[in-house]
Amino acid sequence: MMEQNMPCAQVPQPMRCGSWPSPVTAALVAGKSLTLQEVRTTGQSVFWLERRPAEGGRTVLMRWTSGTDEVAEALPEDADVGTRVHEYGGGAYAVAHHGIVYADRRTALVWQLVEGAADPVLLAGAEGVRFADLRFDPVSCTVLAVREDHRPQGEPQGALVALGHQGGPDGLVLQSGADFYMSPACSPDGAWLAWIEWDHPNMPWDSTRLCMGRVVRDPQGNICALESVRVLAGACGGESLVEPRWTADGHLLVISDREGHWQVWEVQALQPDAPLAQYPLPEGETGQPAWVFGQSSYQPLANGGCIALTVRNGESQCFVRSASGQIHPFAGSPDQCPIALEDGRFAWVEAPVNALPAVVVGDAAQGVQRVLRRSATLALAAADISCPESVRFKVDGGDGTLGHAFFYPPANGQACVPPDEKPPMIVLVHGGPTARAQDGFSFKVQWWTSRGFAVLDVNYGGSTGFGRSWRNRLQGQWGVVDVADCVAACRHMVATGRVDPNRIAIRGSSAGGMTVLLALAAASDLFAAGVSLYGVTDLRALAQETHKFEARYLDGLVGPWPDAEDVYVARSPISVASRIRAPVLLLQGLEDKVVPPSQAHAMMAALQAAGTPCTLREFPGEGHGFRKEETIRQALELELAFYGRVFGFEPAPPAEE
């Protein structure tokens, strides 16, 4: 018999879409939620980075050790872990049993904190020099790093360096001459160093080289030089090799897309011509575009097995391969490959579709056993969370190729769509443009769905996770294929009858911002509003002004500069501004070095000249991507109010926070 005092489930009430009261507040998204990333382990300790918008975007290194309940900051309270190598950074810290090494984002100095010491000591750093991809040598206290030197005239110079007493503030150069370096990986016995390098005009997802050299050490055992350097794979070009790693017994593994998808291969590194043998893992793509350092798609295990994160049909799944070759699903939803602890358990960022991300510890069979850190303290009810639905749609080409997107219907435990209304839809265009729409929980989605919007997150041609041929659809076609795919995905959803065809907005950041503006011009009958966050508006200016890492990126996406200048002009949003009729909101950081503020200014002037409503909001102290709590909060509220004006609804008053 039912108890008389049990609370009744709340019945959602019909409310005009966009005006729903939401538990996903601006403060929660902007200041009370943490960005959790770059999990590392040593022994029985787990480390991770958490970016705190409430502290001006400061990134803190956290630590937990098995057998304790304490989670604490691992570094002095003024440390801000980060690096600006390639402008996007990554790999800004490393851990070993004897201590921590880290780069400070504000000063670019590299510090070392010896285990048990109270204060860190300066390891390297000088004006105009940046370091990333920090790694400890397994047999000494030498720290390996990628150095980016901005002091010479012209482009910054890259090098592999050893940091320590023999290198001075600049580090000791071990290898130079290539335009870019990444992923120094020392063999377990310390005898060999492998790394990735590449040159203009390639990006690391286009063509790289896997290289190796014999390590030379001084009498104290520190790395002092490399000899017998050779290219193991990629010498002929056309192959993307990333993430070299050594197994415990000294075999070299690497990810290659030589057969169409990024997969793990074993390198016979000590044999002539270094043949590669495929390392069997489930079908799909194991690998990701190397925009940042320190990424982890797979990890060899001490017992001879391997754990890998694979993307298939747009969805991520983690697998464990035993030493005998048996493959088992990993019972979790990691957003990067889990990292093993000494006792055989794993640590990772758990990112399910229906819960906030968290740093966790668990095992392969049972999944999460302990939560170390949640991205926010708020526990959303299941009714307030919109879960993704995979959508396949036809793309241009006539060969039957299907595109992919994730569709999120509105979801709110208090409100529902009125019978006489269909929800407005926001089309998300990811950046990169080599990034991908992912199915893990994201506030960038739930902020909208909990207010009565549907969201469509599109994996247009060029997105990763679908193999090289899908990436290559964007070669020479940026501004064409991405736009066509977003339009096709949107029209597919309109045809299903699930969204209001007259209330569709499109939003994107960086490269996605360019796609937004071009889509507004190409499909004025489809999109009623557009929002571009620090988006590219003038490809000519981007080719001339951008930083070294992307200086030749457009050669592949658009055409060689300046020979293809007419294509650059035709593909630039500023050239088609007169065809945009839908209202536009531009959001821009004033310290952006990737897409300078001048691009937003020029776009606003062109739209105003065409008579198109346009609002530009600039944020002091922000670069390419917003970090500060105040900025993120203002940007969210501005965008919601913008849609309210365009679509004719009044946003709900902010909830008490």
Side-chain angles (χ1 to χ4, degrees):
M1 188 173 181
M2 185 178 294
E3 294 183 19
Q4 297 299 314
N5 294 327
M6 286 185 64
C8 296
Q10 183 174 0
V11 177
Q13 299 299 308
M15 298 184 192
R16 183 164 176 76
C17 293
S19 63
W20 297 0
S22 170
V24 183
T25 64
L28 173 64
V29 180
K32 295 182 181 178
S33 61
L34 310 170
T35 299
L36 306 171
Q37 57 194 357
E38 290 197 46
V39 174
R40 306 274 188 269
T41 65
T42 180
Q44 289 297 97
S45 292
V46 179
F47 297 81
W48 66 92
L49 295 177
E50 57 182 52
R51 190 170 74 225
R52 300 174 176 175
E55 297 181 25
R58 184 170 80 101
T59 299
V60 179
L61 181 63
M62 304 298 294
R63 179 176 188 171
W64 171 84
T65 301
S66 180
T68 71
D69 293 324
E70 182 182 11
V71 171
E73 294 188 25
L75 301 174
E77 62 182 12
D78 62 340
D80 185 0
V81 182
T83 172
R84 288 183 54 206
V85 177
H86 296 179
E87 295 301 329
Y88 299 104
Y93 85 100
V95 294
H97 68 278
H98 51 75
I100 303 167
V101 61
Y102 68 97
D104 189 275
R105 182 174 62 91
R106 293 166 297 191
T107 64
L109 301 177
V110 178
W111 298 84
Q112 187 165 6
L113 180 63
V114 176
E115 183 69 19
D119 299 308
V121 296
L122 183 62
L123 188 64
E127 184 70 26
V129 179
R130 304 172 183 176
F131 300 94
D133 227 355
L134 305 177
R135 317 280 182 102
F136 276 110
D137 172 23
V139 299
S140 77
C141 291
T142 303
V143 175
L144 298 162
V146 172
R147 188 184 76 185
E148 188 177 69
D149 191 346
H150 290 250
R151 294 172 298 187
Q153 291 291 324
E155 287 188 331
Q157 296 180 358
L160 282 181
V161 298
L163 306 182
H165 68 279
Q166 76 274 36
D170 292 354
L172 176 68
V173 175
L174 301 176
Q175 191 71 11
S176 62
D179 286 324
F180 303 98
Y181 292 90
M182 183 174 280
S183 305
C186 209
S187 61
D189 61 2
W192 301 94
L193 181 68
W195 66 90
I196 299 295
E197 64 179 39
W198 71 97
D199 296 310
H200 284 317
N202 294 305
M203 300 300 284
W205 43 89
D206 296 327
S207 184
T208 61
R209 298 182 294 274
L210 171 65
C211 302
M212 187 178 77
R214 185 187 296 274
V215 174
V216 179
R217 297 180 181 274
D218 64 19
Q220 290 73 43
N222 298 305
I223 298 175
C224 61
L226 294 175
E227 61 182 15
S228 304
V229 171
R230 63 193 179 104
V231 177
L232 299 180
C236 296
E239 179 179 6
S240 174
L241 299 130
V242 292
E243 295 190 42
R245 305 192 192 282
W246 296 86
T247 64
D249 57 357
H251 290 85
L252 180 61
L253 304 178
V254 71
I255 290 174
S256 167
D257 69 350
R258 58 175 49 194
E259 289 197 350
H261 287 77
W262 277 317
Q263 296 171 312
V264 180
W265 295 73
E266 184 173 346
V267 187
Q268 307 302 317
L270 301 183
Q271 294 184 21
D273 299 324
L276 271 64
Q278 192 167 344
Y279 190 88
L281 285 170
E283 182 181 348
E285 184 148 78
T286 301
Q288 51 198 315
W291 281 100
V292 299
F293 298 93
Q295 297 183 138
S296 178
S297 303
Y298 77 106
Q299 290 287 335
L301 302 177
N303 62 10
C306 179
I307 183 169
L309 190 66
T310 296
V311 180
R312 185 178 181 185
N313 295 327
E315 300 179 3
S316 301
Q317 188 167 1
C318 192
F319 295 93
V320 177
R321 182 183 186 272
S322 69
S324 62
Q326 294 180 318
I327 294 174
H328 304 281
F330 184 88
S333 302
D335 73 339
Q336 293 271 306
C337 185
I339 310 296
L341 281 84
E342 202 171 58
D343 63 6
R345 293 184 298 167
F346 296 91
W348 70 95
V349 176
E350 175 76 354
V353 300
N354 58 354
L356 278 67
V359 177
V360 302
V361 169
D363 66 24
Q366 300 179 27
V368 177
Q369 295 173 331
R370 179 170 187 151
V371 176
L372 306 183
R373 191 73 153 186
R374 300 185 188 276
S375 60
T377 57
L378 174 68
L380 295 176
D384 294 324
I385 298 174
S386 180
C387 293
E389 305 170 15
S390 272
V391 172
R392 305 311 297 259
F393 57 93
K394 292 182 180 180
V395 299
D396 291 342
D399 58 358
T401 300
L402 296 179
H404 177 269
F406 288 113
F407 177 73
Y408 297 81
N412 188 308
Q414 301 179 59
C416 62
V417 181
D420 60 347
E421 185 179 2
K422 291 181 180 179
M425 184 171 72
I426 298 176
V427 180
L428 300 185
V429 188
H430 65 66
T434 60
R436 68 182 179 92
Q438 301 188 51
D439 52 349
F441 181 97
S442 170
F443 276 128
K444 78 174 183 179
V445 170
Q446 304 299 327
W447 166 266
W448 303 112
T449 56
S450 64
R451 286 171 166 77
F453 292 87
V455 169
L456 186 66
D457 202 357
V458 185
N459 274 313
Y460 53 83
S463 305
T464 48
F466 302 85
R468 190 177 185 102
S469 62
W470 188 258
R471 292 203 310 274
N472 285 348
R473 287 184 69 236
L474 209 61
Q475 287 295 299
Q477 295 296 308
W478 189 30
V480 178
V481 164
D482 49 324
V483 172
D485 286 0
C486 288
V487 170
C490 190
R491 293 198 190 280
H492 172 83
M493 290 310 305
V494 169
T496 67
R498 299 180 65 181
V499 300
D500 186 342
N502 297 314
R503 294 191 296 168
I504 299 176
I506 183 168
R507 76 182 304 272
S509 58
S510 189
M514 185 184 95
T515 303
V516 164
L517 296 169
L518 292 175
L520 291 173
S524 58
D525 64 317
L526 187 62
F527 299 112
V531 178
S532 171
L533 296 88
Y534 37 92
V536 177
T537 68
D538 187 341
L539 288 171
R540 291 174 300 175
L542 184 66
Q544 296 169 333
E545 298 174 356
T546 195
H547 55 111
K548 178 186 177 182
F549 181 65
E550 295 183 71
R552 302 290 299 280
Y553 189 17
L554 300 187
D555 284 26
L557 291 175
V558 182
W561 173 262
D563 297 346
E565 184 174 5
D566 57 336
V567 182
Y568 281 69
V569 172
R571 300 266 185 87
S572 294
I574 197 167
S575 299
V576 296
S578 61
R579 292 172 16 210
I580 297 175
R581 289 291 173 261
V584 176
L585 174 63
L586 304 174
L587 304 174
Q588 177 72 41
L590 285 175
E591 305 302 321
D592 196 335
K593 305 300 183 185
V594 179
V595 180
S598 58
Q599 295 221 6
H601 296 163
M603 191 68 196
M604 180 179 69
L607 288 170
Q608 289 177 336
T612 301
C614 177
T615 301
L616 169 62
R617 180 61 182 269
E618 297 177 299
F619 298 96
E622 293 287 6
H624 199 67
F626 299 153
R627 299 174 61 94
K628 299 178 183 178
E629 176 183 8
E630 181 182 1
T631 301
I632 298 170
R633 182 169 182 160
Q634 289 181 8
L636 287 169
E637 292 173 340
L638 281 168
E639 188 172 352
L640 179 60
F642 171 70
Y643 294 141
R645 292 192 299 273
V646 175
F647 294 152
F649 66 83
E650 186 70 30
E656 293 185 9
E657 301 171 325

